[in-house]
Amino acid sequence: MTALGTGTSGSSSAPVRTAPAPAPRRRGPLSVERPAARAARPSRHRRDIQGLRAVAVLLVVAYHCGLPLVGGGYVGVDVFFVISGFLITGLLLREARDTGRISVPGFYARRALRLLPAATVVVVATVAMSVWWLPPLRLPDILADALHTTGYAMNWRLAVIGTDYLSAETDPSPLQHFWSLAVEEQFYLVWPLLLLLVVRARGDLSRIVKSRIALLLGGLTAVSFLVSVWQTRHNAGWAYFGTHTRAWELGVGALLALGTGRAARLGRRTALALAGAGLIAIAAAAVVYTEATPFPGYAALLPVLGAAAVIAGGCAWPAPPLGHPALQALGRLSYSWYLWHWPLLAVSPYLWGHPPAWWQNILAAVAALVLAALTYALVENPVRRLPMLRRRAWRGLCAGLVMSAASVALCVTLTAEAGTATSGYHAQPLAPQSNVTTLQQRIADSVHLPGVPVDLTPKLSQAALDKPQLYKDMCSPAFTDWVIKDCAYGDLTSPTTVVLFGDSHAGHWFPAMEAIARQRHWRLVPLVKSACSAANVFIYQDSLKRPFTECVRWRRLAYQKIRDLHPAMVVLASVSPGGGLLGVTGDPDTAWIRAWQYTFTQVSAPGRKVYFVNDTPWHQLVPDCLSQHMTDPAACAHPRDVAVRNPELRARVMTAARSQGISIIDPLPWFCTATDCPVIIGNVLVYKDRHHITTVYSKLLAPLLSAELVP
C-alpha cells in the first residue's frame, strides 16, 4: 500500500515560495508547455503526510488489538486510501508535466519494487507460522489466501466468504489484511491508463486538460460513492471489500492532487484550522464508530474528508503535531508494520493457548513493529533503491514477477511438507440409531476416545464442504434475498405434506427429515433461511451491518406459504433463543417467548401437528481443533453445562410451546450424557463447525427423529 510507504512516494505539493521556473525546453509530441512565470517546483517531502500515515496505522493496530475507545479504528485504512490517491496521482501528474508522457511500465515497475519485497517476506513468513502453530486443517485455506494475496485479489475472496453463512464460521485469516492492498492495486490498474489517455489526447497538462481530468475523476468518484452507499445498505460484505465501493476514497485523494495549487495559497490560520478539523474528524470516527456501524457508505465520509482536509491544509502550512519525530519514525515503518501486525495477532491465540488479553495483543503488536523495522532496513528500503532495478522498467517488472513466483513456490512447498498426524485409532462404526439407550452408551464410550478415528466420517478435510442437499440445490435464500424457494423432496406425489421451517439449525436436520420423508412417503417442503429464526423476531445482522429486514419479509412469506400448503405437519427448529432484539424495550427473554408464541399461532391449524425441536449443543470450531488434537478429541468438546446455551430460556420457550399444544422434541440425549457432549461419536464427526451437525450424523438420527414425529 503506497500510502503506507515512505521515500519519494511521501512527496507532494507543499508551499510554493521560491525562485521563478527555468525557461521551457523543447519536447516531443507530448510536450508540456510551461508558463513563462511559474512558481518553482515545491518541496517533495511532506512531513505532515508521514505523520498522518503514523496516525492511520496506529488506529488500525489499536483497533485490532482490541483497545477501548477506538472501536472504529478501522477507519485508518480509509485514511491510507486518501493518502495513496493523493500521492500516486501527484507523481503521475508530475511525470506528465516534466516528461510530457506517463510511462505505464515504469509506473508498475516502481509499484512492484515498492510493495513486493516486504509483502513477499511477510506472506511467506505468515504461511510458515501457520504451518508451525495453526491447526493443520486451516493450511489449504491459508495457501489459497496466499495465492489470492500474491495476485492482489484477496478482497474478492473475503467478500465471497463473508456472504456465505455456512462458510463464514472459520477464524479470520492471518492474511486477510492484504485486502486493502488489493483494492489499491486494482484501482491503479485503471487510473494511470485513464490519465494517460487524457494526456496523450492533448499532449500537455494545460488548465483545460486538468479540468478534463478532474471532470473524469469526479464523475468516477461520485459514481463509486453512490454505489458504496447503495451496496452498504444491501450487502455490507461486498461493500466493505469491493474495489468499486472503495475507489471513491482514492478518488478523493486524486482530486486533491489536482487542486494542490489552490490549496497551497491558503492562509496560515485557514490551513491550520483545516488540518486540525481533519484530525478531529478522523479521531471522532475512530472513537464513535463500532463494528456495528454500516461501513463504508455515508459513514466513510467522515474519515475520508478528514484525511483530505489534513492533506489540503498541509499544502500551505503542515500541522505541527504531525511532524513529531516519533510520528515520523512510525510513518516510515507504517507499511511494514501494517503487513506484520495482523499475522502476529492472528497467530497469538494459538501461542498463548487462549484468546489473548489486550495487553498480550499489544506485546504482539510491539513484536510486529520490531519485525517491521528489520524488514524496512534489510528488505524494503534496499531493494527498492537498487540502481540496477530502477534504471529500466522491464527489470523492475521482472523482479516483481520473480518475487511473486518465489512467494507462490515457497508457500506451496511449506504447506505441501506439512502433514496432519494420525492417531492410528480405529473406532467401531456407528450405525443408524433407533434406540436412545444404545446411543447413550455409544456417547458415553466416546467421551474419552484415545484419538481421532482413522476411519472418521466425514473426514476433517471434508467437513467444511459437508452441506445438506437443500443448500446445494439453492433452496435456501441468500442473506439479501427473501423469496420463498419452490423446493420439495421425498415423495413428490404424496398427499401428505410436511414443512421444515427455520434457520440453518432447521437446515442441519434436513438430511434426517429427507430420509424420513422417503421412508414414510411424505412430500417434504423445506422453508429454511440461514440466520433467520422461525421466531417472530427482528434482529441486527452482523454480516450485513444493519437490521435483518430480509428475514422479516421472508418469514412473513413463509407463514403464508405454510397456510397455502395446508401441511399435515410442521417441524420448527432454530438457533437457541437469546441475544439482543431490535424494537424491544422490556425483558428480551420475554420478547423471545412472545416471538415464538406468535410463530406457533401462525403455523398452527386444526388437524395439523406442529413440532418444536430444541436446539443442539455448541462447541469451538470442531474440525480445526481436532486437527490439532488428533490424540485427544476430548480437548475439543465443551462440557454439557457450557455446550447447552441459555438452558433457562430454552425451558421457558418449551413450556410456552406445550401450553399452545405444540409437541416438543428434545434431541440433547442424542448428543450428550448428563455431563459431556463429545464431538465424535463412534467413528462419526458430529459437528461440521461450531454448532451445525454433519449430514452423516443427521441421517444416522433419522430413526430416532422419525419415532418422535407422530402423524
Side-chain angles (χ1 to χ4, degrees):
M1 192 185 297
T2 301
L4 290 163
T6 55
T8 57
S9 65
S11 62
S12 188
S13 300
V16 178
R17 295 178 180 83
T18 52
R25 295 174 294 174
R26 292 186 178 276
R27 298 191 182 275
L30 293 179
S31 63
V32 179
E33 296 296 328
R34 300 185 180 184
R38 176 176 67 79
R41 190 173 302 173
S43 167
R44 291 294 181 90
H45 184 64
R46 288 282 299 267
R47 290 174 62 83
D48 60 322
I49 290 182
Q50 196 78 298
L52 187 59
R53 282 194 183 105
V55 170
V57 77
L58 281 169
L59 288 177
V60 173
V61 173
Y63 169 71
H64 286 154
C65 286
L67 298 186
L69 300 180
V70 284
Y74 50 80
V75 300
V77 172
D78 304 87
V79 175
F80 285 133
F81 284 155
V82 178
I83 296 174
S84 178
F86 176 75
L87 294 177
I88 297 302
T89 302
L91 289 171
L92 292 170
L93 291 175
R94 278 196 296 276
E95 182 181 0
R97 180 192 66 197
D98 295 344
T99 68
R101 63 188 181 87
I102 294 175
S103 171
V104 174
F107 171 78
Y108 291 126
R110 292 192 298 271
R111 296 291 291 174
L113 293 177
R114 176 68 193 89
L115 300 177
L116 288 177
T120 299
V121 170
V122 173
V123 169
V124 174
T126 300
V127 173
M129 288 190 293
S130 301
V131 170
W132 293 331
W133 292 311
L134 266 57
L137 199 61
R138 294 192 60 189
L139 294 182
D141 284 337
I142 292 173
L143 175 60
D145 293 338
L147 298 179
H148 281 81
T149 294
T150 303
Y152 288 102
M154 190 61 177
N155 59 325
W156 301 120
R157 174 167 167 80
L158 292 174
V160 170
I161 293 174
T163 53
D164 184 351
Y165 179 78
L166 293 181
S167 296
E169 289 285 332
T170 58
D171 291 331
S173 167
L175 293 170
Q176 73 173 20
H177 62 314
F178 275 86
W179 74 268
S180 58
L181 278 79
V183 168
E184 280 198 37
E185 295 318 297
Q186 290 161 22
F187 178 82
Y188 293 129
L189 282 177
V190 177
W191 176 231
L193 299 176
L194 293 177
L195 198 58
L196 175 65
L197 290 176
V198 176
V199 172
R200 286 183 65 89
R202 294 289 301 182
D204 58 30
L205 268 182
S206 64
R207 181 174 298 179
I208 295 177
V209 173
K210 282 192 173 183
S211 298
R212 291 183 176 180
I213 294 173
L215 184 63
L216 171 65
L217 181 60
L220 295 175
T221 299
V223 169
S224 173
F225 173 70
L226 293 175
V227 172
S228 176
V229 171
W230 176 83
Q231 190 138 49
T232 300
R233 290 178 177 176
H234 293 83
N235 193 322
W238 281 97
Y240 194 87
F241 295 116
T243 303
H244 59 304
T245 55
R246 294 286 193 163
W248 71 272
E249 301 180 25
L250 292 117
V252 168
L255 286 170
L256 187 56
L258 289 167
T260 51
R262 293 184 179 181
R265 293 192 290 270
L266 293 173
R268 183 175 186 275
R269 288 186 178 180
T270 302
L272 292 178
L274 186 62
L279 288 173
I280 292 173
I282 294 169
V287 172
V288 175
Y289 292 175
T290 67
E291 289 186 358
T293 302
F295 203 86
Y298 287 118
L301 280 171
L302 188 58
V304 167
L305 296 182
V310 174
I311 297 171
C315 290
W317 296 95
L322 294 177
H324 191 280
L327 292 181
Q328 295 298 298
L330 285 177
R332 283 191 295 273
L333 300 177
S334 58
Y335 176 58
S336 290
W337 196 20
Y338 179 84
L339 293 183
W340 277 111
H341 88 283
W342 179 249
L344 264 62
L345 288 173
V347 170
S348 63
Y350 297 93
L351 297 179
W352 294 107
H354 57 79
W358 64 269
W359 63 268
Q360 292 170 317
N361 282 334
I362 289 179
L363 289 178
V366 171
L369 184 58
V370 173
L371 290 174
L374 293 172
T375 304
Y376 178 80
L378 302 177
V379 179
E380 180 182 340
N381 225 22
V383 173
R384 70 187 176 112
R385 294 186 184 278
L386 281 175
M388 179 182 65
L389 297 179
R390 292 171 61 88
R391 288 195 192 101
R392 296 287 186 268
W394 68 267
R395 294 179 182 176
L397 293 172
C398 289
L401 290 174
V402 169
M403 285 185 279
S404 297
S407 175
V408 170
L410 288 170
C411 291
V412 170
T413 301
L414 285 168
T415 53
E417 292 296 324
T420 301
T422 60
S423 65
Y425 169 69
H426 289 264
Q428 180 182 353
L430 185 68
Q433 298 297 304
S434 59
N435 185 283
V436 176
T437 303
T438 303
L439 178 58
Q440 274 283 300
Q441 185 59 53
R442 292 302 306 271
I443 294 173
D445 293 341
S446 301
V447 170
H448 296 291
L449 291 177
V452 174
V454 174
D455 54 343
L456 184 71
T457 179
K459 296 183 180 299
L460 295 179
S461 59
Q462 298 298 314
L465 304 176
D466 186 64
K467 299 179 181 180
Q469 188 63 39
L470 74 92
Y471 294 104
K472 299 175 183 178
D473 294 340
M474 308 295 290
C475 291
S476 177
F479 274 160
T480 55
D481 191 3
W482 59 84
V483 176
I484 298 293
K485 304 293 185 177
D486 188 17
C487 297
Y489 297 86
D491 186 348
L492 301 183
T493 63
S494 173
T496 302
T497 298
V498 175
V499 171
L500 176 64
F501 178 32
D503 58 20
S504 61
H505 279 216
H508 70 198
W509 286 112
F510 174 81
M513 289 294 300
E514 184 186 24
I516 296 169
R518 291 180 182 278
Q519 180 188 23
R520 298 172 70 167
H521 299 287
W522 292 343
R523 178 174 177 263
L524 176 64
V525 177
L527 299 178
V528 173
K529 180 174 173 63
S530 293
C532 184
S533 175
N536 188 47
V537 293
F538 189 29
I539 63 172
Y540 182 91
Q541 223 305 313
D542 291 333
S543 297
L544 298 177
K545 302 293 182 184
R546 60 173 173 79
F548 201 5
T549 54
E550 291 88 349
C551 175
V552 175
R553 299 179 68 176
W554 176 84
R555 190 188 298 117
R556 290 173 181 168
L557 292 175
Y559 291 154
Q560 185 59 51
K561 181 71 173 180
I562 291 172
R563 285 191 286 268
D564 294 342
L565 287 172
H566 302 290
M569 183 185 300
V570 176
V571 179
L572 302 168
S574 290
V575 170
S576 55
L581 299 176
L582 299 178
V584 174
T585 56
D587 176 28
D589 287 358
T590 301
W592 269 103
I593 293 170
R594 290 175 178 169
W596 273 113
Q597 288 174 324
Y598 181 86
T599 293
F600 296 150
T601 300
Q602 292 296 311
V603 302
S604 296
R608 179 181 302 161
K609 195 72 173 179
V610 179
Y611 289 89
F612 174 79
V613 182
N614 191 16
D615 198 16
T616 48
W618 289 58
H619 295 274
Q620 54 188 305
L621 197 56
V622 171
D624 284 4
C625 179
L626 289 172
S627 71
Q628 274 193 309
H629 298 86
M630 295 296 290
T631 58
D632 185 20
C636 302
H638 290 322
R640 177 168 175 151
D641 58 352
V642 175
V644 178
R645 304 198 318 172
N646 303 316
E648 295 83 5
L649 183 54
R650 289 189 189 207
R652 292 177 64 186
V653 170
M654 288 189 286
T655 299
R658 291 188 184 96
S659 69
Q660 291 184 244
I662 308 299
S663 299
I664 303 298
I665 299 175
D666 186 1
L668 289 181
W670 307 343
F671 294 87
C672 306
T673 66
T675 57
D676 298 288
C677 300
V679 295
I680 297 174
I681 299 176
N683 69 325
V684 174
L685 179 66
V686 179
Y687 304 93
K688 70 179 297 291
D689 45 39
R690 290 181 171 88
H691 51 92
H692 295 102
I693 64 176
T694 61
T695 59
V696 175
Y697 196 64
S698 180
K699 290 176 182 177
L700 292 175
L701 295 178
L704 288 174
L705 182 60
S706 179
E708 299 284 342
L709 300 175
V710 180

